Amino acid sequence: MTDTSADQNIEVLDLRRSEPLPFHRPSISDLEIAGVVDTLKSGWLTTGPKTQQFTEAFSEAVDAPAGLAVSSCTAGLHLGLLAAGVGPGDVVYTTPITFAASVQVILHTGARAVLVDVQADTLNIDPTALEAAIAQTPSSERPAAVIPVHFAGHPCDMGEILALAEHHGLAVIEDAAHALPASHQGHPTGSVRSSLVPHLTAFSFYATKNLAVGEGGMLTGAPEHIETSKVLSLHGMSRDAWKRYQGGSWVYDIQAEGFKYNFTDIGAAIGLGQLARLPELQARRLEIVNRYQAAFGDVSSFQTPTVRSDVETAWHLYVLRLELDTLTIDRAQFITELDRRMIATSVHFIPIHHHSHFGKTLDLEPGDLPVADGEFPRYFSLPLYPAMTDQDIDDVVDAVLDVAATHRR
Ligand SMILES: *Cc1c(COP(=O)(O)O)cnc(C)c1O
């Protein structure tokens, strides 16, 4: 007698891919390569003419009055808080559904970070919960700033957030790491919408972002805030001294405790190429998204991403949510099953307060932010990048549908 029970446990997958599809691959063309070569031959490697050119072109593209290219979005957020005067004794509000950077920068300034729960549809900070958090702030502390994070590229409720900020005197430092290009009610993310409170925006050019340099970022805002940030971005150094003394260009003055957050001309050369190609790259992103939305929109096991009618989203991520009660497997097993079908995925994000350091520092536990904690077990991100081929997209769709069909309750 042959024992068939072992064979029955072996599920044979009909694998069409021979190579795993990575979660991300950058789209670098001859334009970026030629730009880097040109820079390498120019004799100017660090912050110089290309950085200036990139800063001007980028600021114009997002309708910002001024910009400062920096070494990362994290650096930009940190400088934005400092330029807005945030420091010890202050409270800065942000969201739990973000990368560590949005919270670390608050702690760098000596301020206290308060996490505000999110809205279920967009997973962005909830203005009503923000208002409640401001009201609950002890009178010994100053409500100083808010860092709205445009999760997956979908803009936050900026109208309500700016109104609250102006009413309570909060600076607004937008984390737009995902939100290039995006707009809310016709206002491009990166533009300045308040003259009453400091309003700055930080973008990321990290390798996986919509405009990919490898490392880098851009801070945009009003000229006076950008000028302060610029001084702090290079050791608190000001070169105005040499203008005053009419001396040689060797004269400078250190005016504050600053940092080393420079961007490089090599990065700017890549950035200029990526910026020129951004419309084409975004068009391809949208094609992929449309295919996913059409394929998953009517499947009862999935909740597809929301796009509100008053925004343009950057579609940095495609975040699919599982209707877990329709499935016999959980999110982790769903991801493993996709992995077996050679499709890489990721989870954006493990909520901030689930990390050991932040849980301790912020005195929060999983469960304290009900909407974020309720959504976390059911979301994950699918591959979404312009370098995907049509076949890659079909493979993702087929694999996701196959896992859901195979494990339907
Ligand atoms: C990537 C990311 C950052 C940090 O960007 P860096 O350029 O790597 O510093 C900040 N916030 C969010 C939401 C991000 O995804």
Side-chain angles (χ1 to χ4, degrees), residues 72-74 98-99 101-102 149 175 177-178 204-206 209 216 349:
S72 66
C73 176
T74 308
T98 188
F99 184 55
S102 327
V149 179
D175 181 336
H178 298 181
S204 176
F205 310 135
Y206 183 67
K209 301 292 158 72
F349 290 98

Side-chain angles (χ1 to χ4, degrees), residues 228-400:
T228 307
S229 304
K230 192 172 185 173
V231 170
L232 295 175
S233 76
L234 184 56
H235 297 297
M237 183 189 293
S238 172
R239 289 200 171 269
D240 288 346
W242 79 265
K243 285 184 206 151
R244 277 202 301 277
Y245 294 111
Q246 301 285 311
S249 59
W250 53 269
V251 181
Y252 62 87
D253 183 38
I254 300 294
Q255 301 180 327
E257 180 184 320
F259 304 88
K260 178 72 191 293
Y261 284 161
N262 294 355
F263 193 55
T264 70
D265 268 25
I266 299 171
I270 304 172
L272 279 164
Q274 290 268 295
L275 188 61
R277 293 176 57 225
L278 194 61
E280 161 206 326
L281 295 172
Q282 287 301 117
R284 179 60 178 162
R285 244 174 222 283
L286 193 59
E287 280 176 12
I288 302 168
V289 165
N290 288 340
R291 180 87 171 80
Y292 286 169
Q293 294 284 66
F296 307 137
D298 294 333
V299 181
S300 63
S301 292
F302 303 131
Q303 180 185 334
T304 53
T306 309
V307 184
R308 294 207 188 154
S309 59
D310 60 348
V311 306
E312 300 278 352
T313 167
W315 284 117
H316 172 58
L317 299 172
Y318 189 87
V319 178
L320 195 60
R321 284 185 255 186
L322 299 175
E323 301 296 353
L324 291 170
D325 54 2
T326 70
L327 298 166
T328 57
I329 55 175
D330 64 12
R331 187 253 320 261
Q333 290 165 311
F334 204 103
I335 287 173
T336 304
E337 287 299 319
L338 286 175
D339 212 46
R340 290 179 66 210
R341 289 162 178 79
M342 301 220 180
I343 305 299
T345 56
S346 190
V347 173
H348 299 87
F349 290 98
I350 299 168
I352 289 293
H353 58 300
H354 292 220
H355 294 289
S356 55
H357 177 70
F358 294 128
K360 252 184 290 163
T361 310
L362 310 182
D363 195 21
L364 284 172
E365 287 176 10
D368 286 349
L369 297 163
V371 181
D373 291 319
E375 296 301 317
F376 170 54
R378 65 191 199 95
Y379 58 66
F380 67 101
S381 309
L382 292 178
L384 171 58
Y385 48 96
M388 288 173 75
T389 65
D390 290 346
Q391 185 64 55
D392 292 336
I393 305 166
D394 285 346
D395 290 347
V396 174
V397 166
D398 290 352
V400 169

Side-chain angles (χ1 to χ4, degrees), residues 177-249:
H178 298 181
L180 178 73
S183 68
H184 173 262
Q185 295 176 348
H187 301 274
T189 304
S191 60
V192 175
R193 293 175 65 180
S194 180
S195 52
L196 300 177
V197 293
H199 180 197
L200 297 100
T201 302
F203 295 88
S204 176
F205 310 135
Y206 183 67
T208 57
K209 301 292 158 72
N210 289 22
L211 189 162
V213 167
E215 298 286 354
M218 186 75 72
L219 181 66
T220 62
E224 70 263 32
H225 297 131
I226 293 302
E227 198 42 53
T228 307
S229 304
K230 192 172 185 173
V231 170
L232 295 175
S233 76
L234 184 56
H235 297 297
M237 183 189 293
S238 172
R239 289 200 171 269
D240 288 346
W242 79 265
K243 285 184 206 151
R244 277 202 301 277
Y245 294 111
Q246 301 285 311
S249 59

